[in-house]
Amino acid sequence: MAKSPNAFRTISEAAEEVGAPQHVLRFWETKFPFITPLKRAGGRRFYRPQDVVLLKAVKRLLHQDGLTIKGVQRLHREQGLKRLAAYGDPDGAVDFEPEGGVGEPLSGPTPAGPSSVRLRQLAAELEGARARLEAVLSRTA
């Protein structure tokens, strides 16, 4: 039986869907703060449909379009998360509305200095912590 398109994916399912090995997905998490799968007890990762779209976008940008890791980071910083996601989901089939708008410019371009990069990283970390907290709370409810 196939999973619903909205179902969470394990790392092996996400890796198969993206077409990249599991260790590569883990590596990308360290380089791209906007890739934040939920982590359950024991560190088991679960990828939302939006996470899979972002992974597909990163793979396309790195492997097909020839961007470097820094190039993808710059693209995220300059164009925002929704524009980046469009590379992984050109049809817009996945409703991509990240909570809190992490990675989206507030109003026009934002400065790309070290402090704004760090703020984006912190925002991504907070979003990940919030998602983990919601997962824990949903288990106890």
Side-chain angles (χ1 to χ4, degrees):
M1 176 191 266
K3 280 191 171 183
S4 158
N6 295 327
F8 286 30
R9 306 283 191 254
T10 63
I11 191 166
S12 60
E13 292 168 333
E16 184 177 327
E17 193 170 332
V18 170
Q22 295 177 26
H23 70 275
V24 171
L25 302 189
R26 288 188 207 96
F27 174 73
W28 287 346
E29 285 177 39
T30 67
K31 296 298 179 186
F32 306 112
F34 52 85
I35 298 176
T36 55
L38 298 176
K39 290 187 184 173
R40 291 289 186 124
R44 193 170 155 104
R45 291 165 169 80
F46 289 95
Y47 294 85
R48 298 170 293 252
Q50 296 88 341
D51 296 322
V52 175
V53 166
L54 290 172
L55 290 168
K56 287 179 180 180
V58 167
K59 182 178 185 235
R60 175 183 168 190
L61 291 166
L62 292 174
H63 295 242
Q64 292 176 354
D65 296 354
L67 267 66
T68 62
I69 288 174
K70 289 202 180 282
V72 174
Q73 292 167 338
R74 183 178 314 116
L75 183 70
H76 170 246
R77 188 173 54 247
E78 292 173 357
Q79 295 188 11
L81 202 54
K82 274 189 167 181
R83 292 285 300 273
L84 183 78
Y87 290 95
D89 185 25
D91 301 328
V94 173
D95 181 26
F96 199 87
E97 200 56 49
E99 293 177 16
V102 173
E104 291 299 318
L106 299 177
S107 59
T110 56
S115 61
S116 68
V117 171
R118 182 65 185 136
L119 287 174
R120 284 185 189 0
Q121 290 172 338
L122 288 172
E125 290 173 21
L126 286 172
E127 181 182 323
R130 177 182 177 182
R132 290 189 297 276
L133 179 61
E134 287 174 353
V136 168
L137 292 175
S138 69
R139 277 188 277 158
T140 61

